[in-house]
Amino acid sequence: MSAIHDRTHAAISGAAGGVPEHGTPEIVGNAEITGNAEIAGDADIAPVAALIADGARAAMLTALLDGRALAAGELARIAGVSAPTASSHLARLLDGGLVTVVKQGRHRYYRLAGPDVARTLEVLARISGRVAVRSLRQSRQARLLREARSCYDHLAGRVGVELYDALVREGCLIEADGGCLLTASGADALTELGVDVERVRRARRRFAPDCLDWLERRPHLGGALGAAVLDRLLAREWLVRGTVPRALRLTGPGREGLERIFGCKDLT
């Protein structure tokens, strides 16, 4: 058990009205407290939380939120640590199931283990404070990320939110509890974009959940459908990747195409 976990148990055990020393059971109401805060069958979130809690590892995981696989050297530079330190951090993330590794020849590239990890990081971002902007370079980075960025494998930022709003407004999507329903007109519009809707429906993940944007505080389209839309926008070069990790730039043809197909009128 980790030191963090040990301290957590000590804090719980030593709380007012808690467990007597040596773990002697105490009855509180109808509950018996035995000195062990773990409940059999419950999720043990402490080890995963401890992995994310380190600043360097958090920076690496955030960099991987654009869905691409990055080399250890690039992740070391992003996290501001040495190559050996980065390798140690990545080994822990790999053992903890938060990242996977892709081998190409002698090279190893790391990526998030899946959409569940990305979704967890996005939720943490929503309840976390913002990094202070202290330079013109940081101000530019923040502006680019706010305008358009990849949220793992779907489109976020102002452009993503505007696209979602247009899809709902034009009757392509109907908002439902925890997700969206795709209408016939919406399927036609997505087919025009080049999305194979039936193939997307067969994907082994949620079809079209809404995803609350942690910067805009409004939803954008997630899930298998959101991933398929971003894939087509990049393939058509309506969106292009920039030098800032996760940042995307909407091109002129992209702005015109999104207005023509989906009725996006607020992307100027």
Side-chain angles (χ1 to χ4, degrees), residues 117-221:
V117 178
R119 195 156 45 242
T120 299
L121 296 173
E122 280 287 314
V123 171
L124 287 173
R126 290 203 295 268
I127 62 176
S128 301
R130 304 280 81 83
V131 175
V133 174
R134 296 188 174 90
S135 68
L136 289 176
R137 181 179 64 85
Q138 290 178 326
S139 177
R140 175 179 173 274
Q141 290 175 342
R143 176 176 54 79
L144 291 173
L145 289 174
R146 183 153 203 156
E147 180 67 9
R149 68 185 185 280
S150 52
C151 175
Y152 187 51
D153 58 1
H154 52 272
L155 175 61
R158 187 181 73 88
V159 176
V161 166
E162 295 293 347
L163 174 58
Y164 178 89
D165 287 349
L167 289 169
V168 173
R169 183 179 63 247
E170 299 297 319
C172 296
L173 292 177
I174 297 174
E175 292 180 300
D177 186 23
C180 298
L181 302 176
L182 182 65
T183 65
S185 62
D188 290 341
L190 289 170
T191 299
E192 184 177 350
L193 179 64
V195 174
D196 185 340
V197 175
E198 291 309 312
R199 183 182 63 81
V200 175
R201 288 189 188 279
R202 295 193 296 269
R204 298 175 63 180
R205 61 188 290 192
R206 294 180 65 191
F207 177 63
D210 55 1
C211 181
L212 184 64
D213 194 286
W214 62 272
L215 282 175
E216 293 294 311
R217 305 293 178 178
R218 293 155 55 199
H220 57 252
L221 181 62

